[in-house]
Amino acid sequence: MLKNILGCVREYKKASILTPAFVSLEVVAECFLPLLISDLINKIQNGCDMKIITKYGLALVLLAFVSLALGVLSGHYCAIASCGFAKNLRHDMFHKIQEFSFSEVDKFSTSSLVTRMTTDVSNLQMAYMMIIRIAVRCPFMLIFAFIMSVKLGGKLALIFAAVVPLLGFGLFKIISVVRPVFVKVFKKYDRLNESVQENIKGMRVVKSFVREDYEQEKFNKAADDVCADFTKAEKLLALNTPLMQLAIYIIMIFVSFFCSKIIISTNGTELGIGTLSGMLTYSIQILMSLMMVSMIFVMVTMAIEGANRISEILSEESTLKNPENPVTSLRDGSIDFEDVSFRYNGNSNMALTNINLHIKPGQTVGIIGGTGSSKTTLVNLISRLYDVTEGKVLVGGVDVRNYDLDTLRNNVAVVLQKNVLFSGTIKENLRWGDPDASDEELERICRIAMADEFIQNFPKKYDTYIEQGGTNVSGGQKQRLCIARALLKKPEILILDDSTSAVDTKTDALLRKAFKEEIPGTTKLIIAQRISSVQDCDLIVVMNDGKIDGTGTHSELLETNSIYREVFESQTKGGGLNG
């Protein structure tokens, strides 16, 4: 864990080293101030002239400015180191997540990833800042102030030696009780974020089913759980302050009593008023250092759990990796499934069983089947979003596991069932398919995808801004934009995963006609619920319960496959089919 986390310091090592260096010098300067002040008070008590007072005054001012300058420098470099460290953490986590296969994405929930990228990183940033600055300052101040108090008060410093261990034990007990609470609360944070995310993402569903009260109750429960744990922890941590105050007052009473007794009994010959003042100052420095150490333990306790969660992301190795000598070119768009079986991680049942399917380059293949028949799972194996459990998938005659991942995926364009557009202009979204595409090429492809017509009706046309998630365009418009984006990749294989479900049958037919004319050499796989979307395909695959129930053309399947015939009859009953 430490190796993963500290590896994110990188270019901020210099700032991370300079911070404790300046802090240490600052502590030395601060600890000399009470010594000079006590010496000055003793000299005034013994009757010194203004020359000595002026000399001490200038020394104190100079030392104060030196301490201030060192404090500013330590704060400056601490800010650079801690903020840079947090930036690198987020950078490394985000890049690691981009490398994840679908299996790793399934393993971590979205809400948990968001918590790790935000709350956990913020806690770790705060802890790192405290470690390189306050965690250096406090122990150093504790030790140095004790040494100076021994130098100043001799045996009187034993008062600190008696009280400090008792205080340290009390603080340790508080922290030991609080730590398990913080460890537990982060999982509840995940549930809280999950509730918010689901509610916002599904707001239309929530409102259409009038489930606001239910969602509020679910959120309130998650929020109350987090609040209860933090309240418990804060109540325990609140004992820090009275415990510290008790220790301060006890030490001040003992120091004042014994110092005053010695001053009065010896008429100030053995111990001066300045020494009393210095001892009181050192006592406060020592005890405040202990109090800050206790707060550091609390922050570090919270950060350790966050660091473990972040380290889980950074140390996660993707199950999908490039082979040692990957194939970097695709011969053609042929696809072969040879005895393929597949199961998802943690699932004992096979999602696909004994799949054998052979698709020639340029063929248009329709895939149809009921919900849960693993149609999407089948096509996910083509671009190696998952690896097969048994058998092999070949693209262009080569096992997909032997390809360079970027090469394979750049030649396989997928329009997903859940279409995603990103915030930005229409042009920016389309150029995900080809960053170098000209404006003319964008318009040509959009005409093929039946998107140009509605884009031209927007006031800013192709410069129209798409809101996050594409909320300012309709479902059908979003689907056509996603199809255009995929076509811009000029892929060898185009997969349409129920991606024309939101368009009317006429537009669907025009799209299929455009594909046939414009990209005849591209292998096209069309997953659909409507028979009309696949009946003109060269080959139709009927899926049922993770198996291929039948293959053939439209007319062949009507004669030989009961599932296909049943779906056809249910959709054409009453003249519903629009070919």
Side-chain angles (χ1 to χ4, degrees):
M1 184 267 285
L2 281 175
K3 184 180 178 181
N4 284 332
I5 298 301
L6 293 179
C8 295
V9 176
R10 291 199 292 276
E11 68 269 31
Y12 299 100
K13 286 180 182 176
K14 179 182 176 182
S16 299
I17 294 170
L18 287 175
T19 299
F22 283 123
V23 165
S24 301
L25 294 173
E26 180 191 7
V27 168
V28 173
E30 282 190 31
C31 286
F32 271 109
L33 282 169
L35 189 65
L36 286 175
I37 293 170
S38 65
D39 199 20
L40 175 60
I41 293 172
N42 287 336
K43 288 186 181 299
I44 293 172
Q45 183 185 2
N46 294 329
C48 65
D49 55 25
M50 283 300 299
K51 186 177 180 181
I52 293 176
I53 294 173
T54 303
K55 179 183 175 182
Y56 270 90
L58 290 173
L60 287 168
V61 170
L62 178 62
L63 199 57
F65 271 108
V66 169
S67 177
L68 175 65
L70 291 169
V72 169
L73 286 170
S74 66
H76 171 74
Y77 285 108
C78 181
I80 292 174
S82 59
C83 293
F85 172 62
K87 179 201 75 174
N88 285 346
L89 278 174
R90 293 189 181 96
H91 172 276
D92 290 1
M93 286 178 69
F94 187 79
H95 279 253
K96 192 70 177 180
I97 292 168
Q98 298 303 304
E99 295 174 3
F100 282 177
S101 69
F102 275 25
S103 295
E104 283 82 50
V105 174
D106 295 341
K107 180 179 177 181
F108 300 98
S109 68
T110 305
S111 58
S112 179
L113 290 175
V114 169
T115 304
R116 294 170 203 236
M117 290 279 286
T118 52
T119 304
D120 290 352
V121 171
S122 296
N123 288 338
L124 208 54
Q125 176 185 349
M126 184 66 70
Y128 188 70
M129 180 195 72
M130 296 180 79
I131 287 169
I132 62 174
R133 192 178 187 194
I134 301 174
V136 173
R137 175 187 174 84
C138 293
F140 201 68
M141 175 69 80
L142 191 68
I143 295 167
F144 205 76
F146 183 74
I147 292 171
M148 297 300 283
S149 67
V150 171
K151 177 180 175 60
L152 189 64
K155 292 181 180 179
L156 285 171
L158 293 174
I159 297 172
F160 301 135
V163 176
V164 167
L166 293 175
L167 178 62
F169 177 75
L171 295 175
F172 174 78
K173 289 298 291 182
I174 292 173
I175 298 304
S176 63
V177 176
V178 168
R179 185 180 183 277
V181 179
F182 282 124
V183 171
K184 184 172 62 174
V185 79
F186 282 104
K187 293 180 181 178
K188 296 185 177 181
Y189 253 132
D190 290 346
R191 288 198 289 271
L192 182 66
N193 283 340
E194 185 177 11
S195 176
V196 174
Q197 179 196 353
E198 283 184 346
N199 188 269
I200 294 174
K201 192 173 181 180
M203 185 63 71
R204 290 174 176 81
V205 178
V206 172
K207 290 188 176 299
S208 65
F209 282 88
V210 196
R211 297 286 282 175
E212 291 91 342
D213 291 343
Y214 172 78
E215 288 296 319
Q216 287 174 7
E217 183 181 343
K218 188 169 73 171
F219 174 82
N220 289 340
K221 187 178 184 302
D224 288 343
D225 281 347
V226 173
C227 179
D229 280 346
F230 270 116
T231 302
K232 181 181 178 181
E234 291 295 336
K235 284 179 179 179
L236 292 168
L237 290 175
L239 296 175
N240 266 357
T241 302
L243 185 62
M244 187 61 59
Q245 294 291 340
L246 177 64
I248 289 174
Y249 291 140
I250 288 174
I251 287 180
M252 289 180 70
I253 289 170
F254 274 100
V255 169
S256 299
F257 175 77
F258 286 110
C259 285
S260 300
K261 185 177 180 180
I262 294 171
I263 291 169
I264 294 170
S265 62
T266 63
N267 201 23
T269 55
E270 287 189 17
L271 200 68
I273 296 173
T275 305
L276 170 61
S277 172
M279 289 295 289
L280 290 174
T281 304
Y282 285 129
S283 69
I284 293 173
Q285 285 182 337
I286 290 171
L287 294 170
M288 290 305 294
S289 296
L290 269 176
M291 187 172 184
M292 291 306 297
V293 166
S294 72
M295 297 309 298
I296 291 168
F297 274 119
V298 173
M299 195 66 235
V300 169
T301 297
M302 293 176 63
I304 286 174
E305 182 60 23
N308 284 324
R309 287 155 55 84
I310 291 171
S311 183
E312 283 180 359
I313 301 295
L314 297 178
S315 60
E316 183 73 23
E317 290 296 328
S318 177
T319 53
L320 303 182
K321 292 183 178 180
N322 278 336
E324 289 187 9
N325 298 302
V327 178
T328 56
S329 62
L330 214 70
R331 185 188 69 194
D332 55 42
S334 64
I335 304 168
D336 297 284
F337 288 82
E338 297 184 356
D339 300 319
V340 169
S341 295
F342 171 77
R343 71 161 59 91
Y344 289 101
N345 285 341
N347 196 332
S348 59
N349 296 323
M350 287 288 186
L352 292 170
T353 305
N354 196 30
I355 301 295
N356 285 280
L357 180 64
H358 304 283
I359 301 169
K360 297 176 182 177
Q363 270 193 316
T364 301
V365 178
I367 302 174
I368 198 164
T371 302
S373 59
S374 297
K375 302 184 296 295
T376 299
T377 302
L378 180 75
V379 297
N380 280 342
L381 300 178
I382 296 171
S383 53
R384 205 187 168 199
L385 298 176
Y386 294 97
D387 268 341
V388 297
T389 306
E390 298 173 10
K392 57 184 177 179
V393 177
L394 290 81
V395 171
V398 177
D399 192 323
V400 292
R401 290 169 290 194
N402 294 331
Y403 277 112
D404 172 73
L405 279 171
D406 288 345
T407 299
L408 176 65
R409 290 173 184 172
N410 277 327
N411 281 280
V412 180
V414 183
V415 184
L416 298 169
Q417 187 175 9
K418 295 180 180 179
N419 297 285
V420 177
L421 293 174
F422 296 87
S423 53
T425 64
I426 289 177
K427 283 182 181 178
E428 289 170 345
N429 270 277
L430 292 174
R431 286 193 171 114
W432 275 59
D434 181 3
D436 301 319
S438 64
D439 290 354
E440 291 76 16
E441 178 69 2
L442 294 182
E443 291 186 22
R444 189 184 74 82
I445 292 296
C446 283
R447 283 194 290 272
I448 296 173
M450 303 297 151
D452 182 68
E453 182 179 354
F454 72 80
I455 294 173
Q456 294 296 343
N457 290 328
F458 291 143
K460 293 186 178 180
K461 297 181 171 53
Y462 283 82
D463 290 314
T464 299
Y465 190 83
I466 300 293
E467 300 293 341
Q468 184 180 15
T471 56
N472 58 332
V473 291
S474 70
Q477 291 171 339
K478 191 188 298 185
Q479 285 188 337
R480 283 174 278 175
L481 286 172
C482 290
I483 290 171
R485 183 175 62 188
L487 290 174
L488 276 166
K489 289 183 71 173
K490 302 178 179 66
E492 290 287 343
I493 299 170
L494 175 64
I495 299 172
L496 303 175
D497 186 356
D498 205 15
S499 52
T500 59
S501 57
V503 301
D504 58 82
T505 52
K506 180 182 177 181
T507 303
D508 187 14
L510 290 172
L511 280 169
R512 285 184 279 114
K513 182 173 181 289
F515 292 157
K516 190 173 183 179
E517 294 174 354
E518 295 289 337
I519 49 173
T522 297
T523 304
K524 298 166 281 292
L525 280 74
I526 302 172
I527 296 177
Q529 300 294 334
R530 294 187 301 219
I531 293 290
S532 61
S533 297
V534 299
Q535 67 178 25
D536 294 329
C537 292
D538 302 316
L539 178 70
I540 301 171
V541 179
V542 181
M543 298 291 297
N544 182 38
D545 196 24
K547 300 175 183 177
I548 294 179
D549 192 77
T551 60
T553 62
H554 173 68
S555 57
E556 289 171 346
L557 287 172
L558 281 177
E559 293 180 7
T560 61
N561 190 271
S562 60
I563 293 177
Y564 189 83
R565 185 167 54 251
E566 183 181 337
V567 174
F568 175 77
E569 289 173 353
S570 67
Q571 291 182 5
T572 56
K573 189 177 181 179
L577 180 66
N578 187 350

